[in-house]
Amino acid sequence: MFELRVILLCLPSILLATTLEPDNKSILTDSDWKKLWMEAGNINPSSKTDNTIDSSDSPVFDDTEMMAHNTTVQLGGTAFLVCKVAGVDRNQISWIRRRDWHILSSGAQMYTNDERFAILHTPGSNTWTLQIKFVQRRDHGMYECQVSTSTGIISHFVNLQVVVPEAFILGSGELHVDMGSTINLVCIIEKSPTPPQYVYWQKNDRMINYDDSRRDISIDTTPGPRTQSRLIIREPQISDSGNYTCSASNTEPASIYVFVSKGDNMAAISRRKTSSSSQITRLIGNLYVYSVLVNLLIFRLVFST
């Protein structure tokens, strides 16, 4: 009878421990799971291939797989976020956008109305790639490839970085040249993972690149980490004055205004600039003097009363 009472008293504690055991395991971090799997399985982590998630009974991560991988893509390009998973059913694989915790896909099924997103997977392959077409600025951030296994959730992270190429024209915002000399404009494009093969030049709203009527215009483009495009106009005329713009695919354009005039007119322009600068200086000086006089007048009025 005494033994029966002891069993009855211990029974609630046993049931409570049994009920809480799964919950306790579910709050273990990925690092805790890794240590447990390595201790239990005695598997050499170096035998795993890079960027591969193993969902066997005793999965082990390579150190590189525990960290987020960076993928850089140019604005407007196509991003490929790769996740390699071995030996799991396709319904156990999901892609999640961490910015808003939006589930983008589960297996081959998409859960977004944004048609730029797609899953690339070849039957029999262990690679599940999230493709994002026409990448926009807002697509940058962390993406999670999540795999459900019998031991819990395993995740692989990819950090998508969206870069925007920048263009600028050497020199200030305007250029003054004499008639009969040469217009020489150099456009530089930076921060472009894929160097542009074509750089487009415009004068006002007209494309220059394909203007066959002008034999005195040449454009030379050298692609590279700092793509350089040079526009040369020999013996320019007054009509060549205007706003010149250079741009490439998915690049913010850069502009410069070119003034073409005769030599005498150039000197006149220079004199007008000097005269305008002097007038502004005198105006600022006069305003300062007036402000001092007004303050003295107010001071005298206040203390005279």
Side-chain angles (χ1 to χ4, degrees):
M1 188 68 179
F2 176 78
E3 293 178 353
L4 180 61
R5 290 180 180 178
V6 171
I7 293 174
L8 292 175
L9 289 173
C10 294
L11 183 59
S13 299
I14 295 173
L15 293 175
L16 180 61
T18 303
T19 304
L20 291 178
E21 185 177 358
D23 291 339
N24 291 335
K25 288 184 178 179
S26 64
I27 63 174
L28 292 176
T29 64
D30 290 339
S31 298
D32 296 332
W33 279 114
K34 180 180 179 182
K35 293 178 181 178
L36 291 175
W37 289 331
M38 291 182 67
E39 293 175 358
N42 293 323
I43 300 176
N44 183 10
S46 62
S47 63
K48 308 301 296 178
T49 58
D50 289 342
N51 198 19
T52 300
I53 298 177
D54 188 349
S55 61
S56 59
D57 292 336
S58 299
V60 177
F61 283 99
D62 194 336
D63 290 338
T64 58
E65 295 163 6
M66 300 297 292
M67 299 184 296
H69 292 265
N70 292 327
T71 296
T72 301
V73 65
Q74 181 175 316
L75 179 70
T78 301
F80 298 94
L81 311 187
V82 179
C83 180
K84 295 183 179 180
V85 186
V88 297
D89 183 78
R90 68 177 186 176
N91 294 326
Q92 297 174 278
I93 303 168
S94 303
W95 273 102
I96 300 172
R97 183 172 57 205
R98 295 296 297 270
R99 169 169 56 86
D100 53 3
W101 295 98
H102 184 86
I103 299 176
L104 299 172
S105 68
S106 178
Q109 181 68 38
M110 300 302 300
Y111 290 94
T112 174
N113 293 326
D114 194 335
E115 296 181 354
R116 298 180 302 120
F117 290 82
I119 291 294
L120 305 181
H121 174 70
T122 302
S125 170
N126 64 347
T127 302
W128 296 79
T129 302
L130 176 65
Q131 175 184 263
I132 309 175
K133 296 180 180 180
F134 310 111
V135 170
Q136 304 174 8
R137 295 174 187 262
R138 59 186 176 88
D139 293 325
H140 81 280
M142 193 72 71
Y143 292 79
E144 176 183 357
C145 175
Q146 190 178 94
V147 182
S148 301
T149 71
S150 58
T151 54
I153 299 297
I154 305 174
S155 296
H156 169 69
F157 298 93
V158 180
N159 184 36
L160 177 60
Q161 299 176 342
V162 181
V163 296
V164 182
E166 297 178 356
F168 62 92
I169 298 176
L170 298 181
S172 59
E174 62 183 43
L175 175 67
H176 295 267
V177 297
D178 290 331
M179 285 180 56
S181 60
T182 301
I183 297 176
N184 191 346
L185 303 178
V186 178
C187 178
I188 304 295
I189 297 178
E190 295 182 321
K191 299 181 180 180
S192 179
T194 304
Q197 297 300 314
Y198 299 98
V199 176
Y200 302 98
W201 285 92
Q202 286 181 299
K203 178 201 167 187
N204 299 328
D205 296 327
R206 183 176 180 179
M207 187 77 67
I208 299 176
N209 298 63
Y210 306 104
D211 188 356
D212 296 332
S213 63
R214 297 289 299 268
R215 301 299 179 183
D216 56 347
I217 295 178
S218 63
I219 298 175
D220 182 26
T221 300
T222 304
R226 296 180 82 245
T227 296
Q228 176 177 300
S229 183
R230 185 183 298 271
L231 169 65
I232 296 178
I233 303 178
R234 294 173 292 277
E235 298 182 358
Q237 303 300 312
I238 300 295
S239 58
D240 289 318
S241 299
N243 187 58
Y244 287 79
T245 302
C246 76
S247 62
S249 178
N250 301 309
T251 303
E252 294 293 334
S255 299
I256 186 172
Y257 203 94
V258 177
F259 296 91
V260 181
S261 59
K262 295 182 180 180
D264 295 340
N265 292 337
M266 288 292 296
I269 292 173
S270 178
R271 287 195 298 270
R272 285 200 298 271
K273 284 187 175 181
T274 303
S275 177
S276 298
S277 177
S278 300
Q279 291 177 1
I280 293 174
T281 302
R282 288 196 298 271
L283 178 60
I284 293 175
N286 292 336
L287 289 176
Y288 176 76
V289 173
Y290 292 152
S291 64
V292 172
L293 292 176
V294 170
N295 288 331
L296 288 175
L297 179 59
I298 293 175
F299 180 81
R300 293 185 59 181
L301 291 174
V302 171
F303 282 92
S304 63
T305 58

Short mmCIF file of all heavy atoms in Angstrom, two decimals, residues 135-165:
data_model
loop_
_atom_site.label_atom_id
_atom_site.label_comp_id
_atom_site.label_asym_id
_atom_site.label_seq_id
_atom_site.Cartn_x
_atom_site.Cartn_y
_atom_site.Cartn_z
N VAL A 135 15.85 43.18 -59.92
CA VAL A 135 16.05 43.49 -58.51
C VAL A 135 15.86 44.98 -58.25
O VAL A 135 16.35 45.83 -59.01
CB VAL A 135 17.45 43.05 -58.06
CG1 VAL A 135 17.77 43.58 -56.68
CG2 VAL A 135 17.53 41.53 -58.06
N GLN A 136 15.13 45.29 -57.18
CA GLN A 136 14.88 46.66 -56.77
C GLN A 136 15.61 46.95 -55.47
O GLN A 136 16.09 46.04 -54.79
CB GLN A 136 13.38 46.89 -56.60
CG GLN A 136 12.56 46.57 -57.85
CD GLN A 136 11.07 46.66 -57.61
OE1 GLN A 136 10.62 47.10 -56.55
NE2 GLN A 136 10.29 46.23 -58.59
N ARG A 137 15.68 48.23 -55.12
CA ARG A 137 16.38 48.62 -53.90
C ARG A 137 15.78 47.93 -52.66
O ARG A 137 16.50 47.52 -51.76
CB ARG A 137 16.32 50.14 -53.71
CG ARG A 137 17.05 50.95 -54.77
CD ARG A 137 16.78 52.43 -54.56
NE ARG A 137 17.31 53.26 -55.64
CZ ARG A 137 18.46 53.90 -55.60
NH1 ARG A 137 19.22 53.80 -54.53
NH2 ARG A 137 18.85 54.64 -56.63
N ARG A 138 14.46 47.81 -52.64
CA ARG A 138 13.79 47.26 -51.46
C ARG A 138 14.00 45.76 -51.29
O ARG A 138 13.62 45.19 -50.27
CB ARG A 138 12.28 47.55 -51.53
CG ARG A 138 11.58 46.97 -52.75
CD ARG A 138 10.13 47.42 -52.81
NE ARG A 138 9.45 46.98 -54.02
CZ ARG A 138 8.82 45.83 -54.15
NH1 ARG A 138 8.79 44.99 -53.12
NH2 ARG A 138 8.22 45.51 -55.27
N ASP A 139 14.61 45.09 -52.29
CA ASP A 139 14.85 43.65 -52.19
C ASP A 139 16.06 43.32 -51.33
O ASP A 139 16.29 42.15 -51.03
CB ASP A 139 15.04 43.05 -53.59
CG ASP A 139 13.77 43.10 -54.43
OD1 ASP A 139 12.68 42.95 -53.85
OD2 ASP A 139 13.87 43.30 -55.65
N HIS A 140 16.85 44.32 -50.97
CA HIS A 140 18.06 44.03 -50.20
C HIS A 140 17.68 43.50 -48.81
O HIS A 140 16.61 43.77 -48.28
CB HIS A 140 18.93 45.27 -50.06
CG HIS A 140 18.46 46.20 -48.97
ND1 HIS A 140 17.42 47.08 -49.14
CD2 HIS A 140 18.88 46.36 -47.68
CE1 HIS A 140 17.23 47.75 -48.02
NE2 HIS A 140 18.09 47.33 -47.11
N GLY A 141 18.58 42.72 -48.23
CA GLY A 141 18.34 42.19 -46.88
C GLY A 141 18.58 40.69 -46.79
O GLY A 141 19.11 40.07 -47.69
N MET A 142 18.16 40.12 -45.66
CA MET A 142 18.42 38.72 -45.36
C MET A 142 17.26 37.83 -45.82
O MET A 142 16.10 38.15 -45.64
CB MET A 142 18.62 38.55 -43.85
CG MET A 142 19.21 37.21 -43.46
SD MET A 142 20.95 37.08 -43.90
CE MET A 142 21.68 38.21 -42.70
N TYR A 143 17.64 36.69 -46.41
CA TYR A 143 16.68 35.67 -46.83
C TYR A 143 17.08 34.35 -46.17
O TYR A 143 18.26 34.04 -46.05
CB TYR A 143 16.65 35.51 -48.35
CG TYR A 143 16.09 36.72 -49.06
CD1 TYR A 143 16.86 37.86 -49.26
CD2 TYR A 143 14.77 36.73 -49.52
CE1 TYR A 143 16.34 38.98 -49.91
CE2 TYR A 143 14.25 37.84 -50.17
CZ TYR A 143 15.04 38.95 -50.36
OH TYR A 143 14.53 40.05 -50.99
N GLU A 144 16.06 33.57 -45.76
CA GLU A 144 16.30 32.33 -45.02
C GLU A 144 15.77 31.13 -45.80
O GLU A 144 14.60 31.11 -46.20
CB GLU A 144 15.63 32.40 -43.65
CG GLU A 144 15.75 31.12 -42.84
CD GLU A 144 15.00 31.20 -41.52
OE1 GLU A 144 14.44 32.29 -41.22
OE2 GLU A 144 14.97 30.19 -40.80
N CYS A 145 16.64 30.16 -46.02
CA CYS A 145 16.24 28.87 -46.55
C CYS A 145 16.01 27.95 -45.35
O CYS A 145 16.95 27.58 -44.65
CB CYS A 145 17.31 28.30 -47.48
SG CYS A 145 16.94 26.62 -48.07
N GLN A 146 14.76 27.60 -45.10
CA GLN A 146 14.40 26.87 -43.89
C GLN A 146 14.02 25.44 -44.24
O GLN A 146 13.23 25.19 -45.15
CB GLN A 146 13.24 27.57 -43.19
CG GLN A 146 12.95 27.04 -41.80
CD GLN A 146 11.82 27.82 -41.13
OE1 GLN A 146 10.66 27.44 -41.20
NE2 GLN A 146 12.18 28.95 -40.51
N VAL A 147 14.60 24.49 -43.49
CA VAL A 147 14.36 23.07 -43.73
C VAL A 147 13.79 22.45 -42.46
O VAL A 147 14.36 22.60 -41.38
CB VAL A 147 15.66 22.35 -44.13
CG1 VAL A 147 15.38 20.88 -44.42
CG2 VAL A 147 16.29 23.02 -45.33
N SER A 148 12.66 21.74 -42.61
CA SER A 148 12.03 21.05 -41.48
C SER A 148 12.53 19.61 -41.46
O SER A 148 12.41 18.88 -42.45
CB SER A 148 10.51 21.08 -41.61
OG SER A 148 10.03 22.41 -41.65
N THR A 149 13.10 19.21 -40.35
CA THR A 149 13.60 17.84 -40.19
C THR A 149 12.99 17.22 -38.95
O THR A 149 12.29 17.89 -38.17
CB THR A 149 15.14 17.82 -40.08
OG1 THR A 149 15.51 18.38 -38.79
CG2 THR A 149 15.78 18.64 -41.17
N SER A 150 13.27 15.95 -38.75
CA SER A 150 12.74 15.25 -37.59
C SER A 150 13.32 15.77 -36.28
O SER A 150 12.76 15.57 -35.21
CB SER A 150 13.03 13.75 -37.72
OG SER A 150 14.43 13.52 -37.83
N THR A 151 14.45 16.45 -36.37
CA THR A 151 15.10 16.97 -35.16
C THR A 151 14.83 18.46 -34.95
O THR A 151 15.30 19.03 -33.97
CB THR A 151 16.62 16.76 -35.25
OG1 THR A 151 17.10 17.33 -36.48
CG2 THR A 151 16.96 15.28 -35.21
N GLY A 152 14.12 19.10 -35.85
CA GLY A 152 13.82 20.52 -35.69
C GLY A 152 14.01 21.29 -36.99
O GLY A 152 14.09 20.71 -38.07
N ILE A 153 14.11 22.60 -36.85
CA ILE A 153 14.26 23.49 -38.00
C ILE A 153 15.74 23.81 -38.21
O ILE A 153 16.45 24.14 -37.27
CB ILE A 153 13.48 24.80 -37.79
CG1 ILE A 153 11.98 24.52 -37.63
CG2 ILE A 153 13.72 25.76 -38.95
CD1 ILE A 153 11.35 23.90 -38.86
N ILE A 154 16.19 23.68 -39.46
CA ILE A 154 17.55 24.04 -39.82
C ILE A 154 17.46 25.17 -40.84
O ILE A 154 16.63 25.12 -41.76
CB ILE A 154 18.32 22.85 -40.43
CG1 ILE A 154 18.28 21.67 -39.46
CG2 ILE A 154 19.76 23.23 -40.73
CD1 ILE A 154 18.89 20.41 -40.03
N SER A 155 18.31 26.18 -40.69
CA SER A 155 18.23 27.36 -41.56
C SER A 155 19.57 27.69 -42.18
O SER A 155 20.62 27.52 -41.55
CB SER A 155 17.72 28.58 -40.78
OG SER A 155 16.40 28.37 -40.32
N HIS A 156 19.52 28.15 -43.42
CA HIS A 156 20.68 28.69 -44.11
C HIS A 156 20.31 30.10 -44.56
O HIS A 156 19.22 30.33 -45.09
CB HIS A 156 21.03 27.82 -45.32
CG HIS A 156 22.05 28.46 -46.23
ND1 HIS A 156 23.35 28.63 -45.86
CD2 HIS A 156 21.94 28.98 -47.48
CE1 HIS A 156 24.01 29.22 -46.84
NE2 HIS A 156 23.16 29.45 -47.84
N PHE A 157 21.20 31.07 -44.33
CA PHE A 157 20.88 32.47 -44.58
C PHE A 157 21.71 33.01 -45.73
O PHE A 157 22.90 32.69 -45.88
CB PHE A 157 21.14 33.32 -43.33
CG PHE A 157 20.29 32.91 -42.15
CD1 PHE A 157 20.76 32.00 -41.21
CD2 PHE A 157 19.01 33.43 -41.99
CE1 PHE A 157 19.97 31.62 -40.14
CE2 PHE A 157 18.22 33.06 -40.92
CZ PHE A 157 18.70 32.15 -40.00
N VAL A 158 21.06 33.86 -46.54
CA VAL A 158 21.73 34.55 -47.64
C VAL A 158 21.41 36.03 -47.53
O VAL A 158 20.24 36.41 -47.46
CB VAL A 158 21.28 34.02 -49.02
CG1 VAL A 158 22.01 34.78 -50.13
CG2 VAL A 158 21.54 32.53 -49.14
N ASN A 159 22.45 36.85 -47.50
CA ASN A 159 22.27 38.29 -47.41
C ASN A 159 22.42 38.90 -48.81
O ASN A 159 23.48 38.84 -49.42
CB ASN A 159 23.31 38.90 -46.47
CG ASN A 159 23.11 40.40 -46.28
OD1 ASN A 159 21.98 40.88 -46.25
ND2 ASN A 159 24.19 41.14 -46.17
N LEU A 160 21.32 39.47 -49.32
CA LEU A 160 21.31 40.05 -50.65
C LEU A 160 21.66 41.54 -50.56
O LEU A 160 20.99 42.30 -49.87
CB LEU A 160 19.93 39.88 -51.30
CG LEU A 160 19.75 40.51 -52.68
CD1 LEU A 160 20.74 39.93 -53.68
CD2 LEU A 160 18.33 40.34 -53.17
N GLN A 161 22.69 41.93 -51.27
CA GLN A 161 23.12 43.32 -51.32
C GLN A 161 22.85 43.87 -52.72
O GLN A 161 23.32 43.31 -53.71
CB GLN A 161 24.60 43.44 -50.97
CG GLN A 161 24.95 42.96 -49.58
CD GLN A 161 26.43 43.00 -49.29
OE1 GLN A 161 27.25 43.07 -50.20
NE2 GLN A 161 26.81 42.96 -48.02
N VAL A 162 22.09 44.96 -52.79
CA VAL A 162 21.74 45.60 -54.06
C VAL A 162 22.58 46.87 -54.20
O VAL A 162 22.52 47.75 -53.34
CB VAL A 162 20.24 45.94 -54.13
CG1 VAL A 162 19.90 46.59 -55.46
CG2 VAL A 162 19.40 44.68 -53.92
N VAL A 163 23.37 46.93 -55.27
CA VAL A 163 24.21 48.10 -55.49
C VAL A 163 23.68 48.89 -56.68
O VAL A 163 23.14 48.32 -57.64
CB VAL A 163 25.69 47.70 -55.74
CG1 VAL A 163 26.27 47.03 -54.51
CG2 VAL A 163 25.81 46.77 -56.94
N VAL A 164 23.83 50.20 -56.60
CA VAL A 164 23.37 51.10 -57.66
C VAL A 164 24.60 51.77 -58.29
O VAL A 164 25.30 52.52 -57.61
CB VAL A 164 22.41 52.17 -57.11
CG1 VAL A 164 21.90 53.06 -58.25
CG2 VAL A 164 21.25 51.51 -56.38
N PRO A 165 24.90 51.49 -59.56
CA PRO A 165 26.05 52.13 -60.21
C PRO A 165 25.89 53.65 -60.22
O PRO A 165 24.79 54.17 -60.34
CB PRO A 165 26.03 51.55 -61.62
CG PRO A 165 25.27 50.27 -61.50
CD PRO A 165 24.24 50.52 -60.45
#
